[in-house]
Amino acid sequence: MNRRDFIKYGAVLAGAGGVCFFCKDNTVLAKDNPRKTALYDVRPCKKPFTALEIYENGDCFTCCPDFLKKKVEIGNIEKQDIDEIWNGERIKDLRKKVLKGNFSACKRDICVLYEPCTKKQIPSDYKKGPKEIKINYDYECNYNCIKCRDTVIINSDKQNELYNDIYLPKVVKIAKNAEIVSLLGSGDPLFSRHSRLLMKELVKSYPDIKFKILTNGFFMNEDSLKEIGIQNNIQGVSVSVDAVNRETYEKILRTDGFDRVMKNIELMAEWKKQGRIEWITMNFVVHLLNYKEMAEFVKIAQKLDVTAYFTTYRPSQPTEFRKRYLEIAVFEPTNKHYKEFVKILKNPIFQDKEHCFLESRLFDIANS
């Protein structure tokens, strides 16, 4: 899968903090997305043989639980040995079903993670462990973005003890067959004490392992990456920016880190030119406070040769900002700013498919 396909199929989606990592719902699908054929395809899905996702309470899944009808986990990393989870009865039953084309546990109408394959394409060594691990349980972050949370979240000593003593060694163990570790959709991995330690241990055990990192970018500098030891192990970074102007950034991210973050993105863009990382996205969650800056955001992405990634604000977290949804959701036809918003999206700059991605709702407006 090339960089554009990787982006297009939801692998770098950033929304409100604490939601599913890299994919949230069917709004990531554009109308021309061929993955909608997943609704009718009966070929096996590769995910139960290649992927593991771990959530806050330790529950484990082979794909995003938002795409499962009952969100039944395959195990719990806090309570079970990792081999028991990856080769246990629940995942065996799931694998048997998908091999027969039985997707009764899945929400196929909205799934963007379906990986159709033949039985021969399933890795022969799948029982050794997943090829990709997604970490979604660590909420520690130095920001309290207006769309994500109303307070800065720092893990308690008890939480860090649980994560470091129980979760970490199990993640390292199950990663023996992994090629990619993705983190985080819940906090910031470059700030979190546990996530930094986890990455250190993974690189120490598996020097060739790669990371996909979702971050606010504040600690995305060379010194920090070297201190963790991952400066040569990053596949791609997805940075939440949400603004072009410093003033707007401070209103949304509730900190004054704009200049520092942009400098760090420029560093990553240079690394991309050098071939040290494969892709970079700058994420922009659209709402009342920033929609007038969307076109300028694409211009910055073009200048840096990165991708501007636009998604609509989804009120998934119990924040004060959520209470203002009808007021701030400029993409809703009932919003008083909707006509102006539509006019903005008609700008030809949003047709630059190399440097701009619009989730389906925005895609439909821009192309209607």
Side-chain angles (χ1 to χ4, degrees), residues 42-69:
V42 294
R43 287 177 292 173
C45 177
K46 194 181 286 187
K47 284 291 183 182
F49 302 89
T50 61
L52 178 70
E53 300 194 14
I54 309 170
Y55 286 81
E56 180 188 17
N57 60 0
D59 285 343
C60 299
F61 301 85
T62 60
C63 72
C64 173
D66 280 358
F67 301 144
L68 300 176
K69 291 178 180 178

Side-chain angles (χ1 to χ4, degrees), residues 300-314:
I300 294 175
Q302 291 172 332
K303 181 180 178 181
L304 296 174
D305 190 26
V306 303
T307 300
Y309 196 98
F310 295 97
T311 61
T312 55
Y313 169 66
R314 288 181 287 276

Side-chain angles (χ1 to χ4, degrees), residues 130-146:
K131 297 296 184 182
E132 179 170 359
I133 300 171
K134 293 184 179 180
I135 305 298
N136 289 296
Y137 57 78
D138 183 0
Y139 280 71
E140 187 162 272
C141 184
N142 55 314
Y143 278 20
N144 61 320
C145 308
I146 196 170

Side-chain angles (χ1 to χ4, degrees), residues 177-228:
N177 205 40
E179 298 169 357
I180 295 288
V181 174
S182 302
L183 64 177
L184 291 160
S186 47
D188 192 283
L190 301 179
F191 171 77
S192 165
R193 293 163 294 171
H194 166 71
S195 292
R196 289 169 68 94
L197 179 61
L198 175 61
M199 287 187 282
K200 284 183 180 181
E201 292 300 316
L202 284 168
V203 170
K204 186 186 302 182
S205 299
Y206 316 109
D208 295 328
I209 202 162
K210 294 290 185 179
F211 297 98
K212 300 172 187 174
I213 296 176
L214 174 59
T215 174
N216 57 45
F218 193 84
F219 291 100
M220 195 176 62
N221 54 62
E222 192 158 12
D223 288 343
S224 180
L225 298 176
K226 283 184 176 180
E227 195 278 328
I228 301 171

